[in-house]
Amino acid sequence: MPLTLRLALRDWDYMTPLVLGDVRSPRLDIKVDRVGTLISDLARDPSYEGAELSFSRYSQLRHDGDDGVVGIPNFIMRGFRHRCIITTKESPIRKLSDLAGKRIGVTGWRDSGNTWTRAAIRREGVGIEDVMWYAGRLTEAHPITDRLDGFGRPGRIEAAPGERPMVDLLKEGDLDAIFTPFMPPGFFDEDSPFRQVLDDFRAAEVAYYHEVGYVPGMHLIGLKATFVREQPWVMDELSELIDASQRMWLQKREKYADTTPWMIDELRRCAADLPPSWNISGFAANEKMIGDFATELHEQKILPRALTPADLFPWHAQAE
């Protein structure tokens, strides 16, 4: 009888073959719950054995000596961050270096995506101390919560004024730019007041890839440590199933490329700009990216102590 694994994931399209059972294992019966918000405390949540986790928050657990969750170096969410910096169409900001001295909003200070975005602008000479930062909700629809997460500093990192939505602050001139995980509603409309800072963010991202050698990982898969100790084989089995689901979904996108008018061109350009291994899973293949992220967490003072890739993924480092 297969082992049941209850897994909480965001609604990523490439997980569809896994959810539908087109990709399956005789050893695992995977029950996927599609969640809008990541599970906050997987180790103590009775509903799941595994879940999608923030890389930053998982790193905090490892830093603090909390071994309740075992991370798998399968980065279910990856993405370049240059495209995620938005401003108004009237703004003079056109380069990442133009962000020095500006007021920038973020949706959460320690969020993995924002950590990578700060790393990207630091490569262009803009450090944390060169910006006035505000943390807040992106739109009216998002809840009012503590997005500083203990990292606030008066005069440098503060809560968004009056807890107002940051898109409103940007539109009204109280912010100069926003780091956003997703484009706000209406962003792609012709009459949208917003645009990305970089007109050709794709060229910047391709150049970034050639410099660093990876697409940044933001979310990974975690399993309860108690579950892994009883069935350590589950880590590799689950990772292989996720990889197989992604491959099958890509094959379907290539075959049924008319979901948007120029999807076929996007597939062609992506194949030209990135190697087939750009989203490969595993410890060795991602060790440089993992190490760079750990360095950023320390340099940005999110973690007091610098971690190594082996600190973050001890099970997998020992297996190499």
Side-chain angles (χ1 to χ4, degrees), residues 272-287:
D273 289 340
L274 298 176
S277 60
W278 69 265
N279 64 343
I280 190 171
S281 60
F283 179 78
N286 289 283
E287 189 169 4

Side-chain angles (χ1 to χ4, degrees), residues 132-320:
M132 181 64 210
W133 303 91
Y134 295 95
R137 53 183 177 150
L138 183 63
T139 71
E140 187 74 40
H142 292 90
I144 296 175
T145 61
D146 176 16
R147 298 173 185 272
L148 291 170
D149 209 6
F151 295 97
R153 280 192 285 139
R156 182 60 62 200
I157 308 169
E158 299 181 356
E163 299 289 357
R164 294 169 58 208
M166 291 193 298
V167 290
D168 293 345
L169 293 169
L170 180 59
K171 194 184 309 182
E172 294 165 15
D174 295 314
L175 287 177
D176 299 301
I178 296 173
F179 291 0
T180 179
F182 308 105
M183 295 303 129
F187 179 84
F188 297 104
D189 294 348
E190 187 175 355
D191 60 351
S192 169
F194 306 124
R195 63 169 175 83
Q196 277 129 335
V197 162
L198 297 180
D199 291 330
D200 192 355
F201 60 81
R202 188 189 189 106
E205 291 168 350
V206 171
Y208 176 88
Y209 180 86
H210 288 303
E211 290 170 12
V212 302
Y214 53 75
V215 179
M218 285 163 281
H219 292 175
L220 65 148
I221 298 296
L223 295 172
K224 286 181 175 174
T226 52
F227 188 74
V228 170
R229 281 194 288 268
E230 294 171 0
Q231 294 93 196
W233 57 269
V234 169
M235 292 188 291
D236 288 342
E237 188 83 2
L238 176 59
S239 187
E240 289 169 7
L241 288 170
I242 291 171
D243 290 347
S245 186
Q246 290 176 320
R247 287 193 300 271
M248 181 178 287
W249 187 250
L250 178 59
Q251 291 167 359
K252 290 181 181 295
R253 280 203 303 176
E254 291 173 345
K255 183 176 181 180
Y256 303 112
D258 293 323
T259 52
T260 57
W262 294 284
M263 176 63 75
I264 194 77
D265 185 57
E266 169 56 25
L267 292 168
R268 176 189 62 77
R269 293 183 66 191
C270 189
D273 289 340
L274 298 176
S277 60
W278 69 265
N279 64 343
I280 190 171
S281 60
F283 179 78
N286 289 283
E287 189 169 4
K288 182 178 186 301
M289 185 268 287
I290 294 166
D292 285 354
F293 187 69
T295 297
E296 284 299 329
L297 290 174
H298 180 59
E299 291 289 332
Q300 296 182 28
K301 297 182 171 53
I302 294 172
L303 295 184
R305 177 170 54 88
L307 300 180
T308 67
D311 292 330
L312 291 169
F313 297 96
W315 286 69
H316 297 81
Q318 292 170 12
E320 291 294 332

Side-chain angles (χ1 to χ4, degrees), residues 81-101:
R81 306 309 295 171
H82 302 69
R83 69 190 63 190
C84 297
I85 310 173
I86 65 172
T87 187
T88 60
K89 287 181 176 176
E90 294 77 22
S91 170
I93 300 172
R94 292 286 176 179
K95 306 187 299 294
L96 298 190
S97 58
D98 292 339
L99 293 168

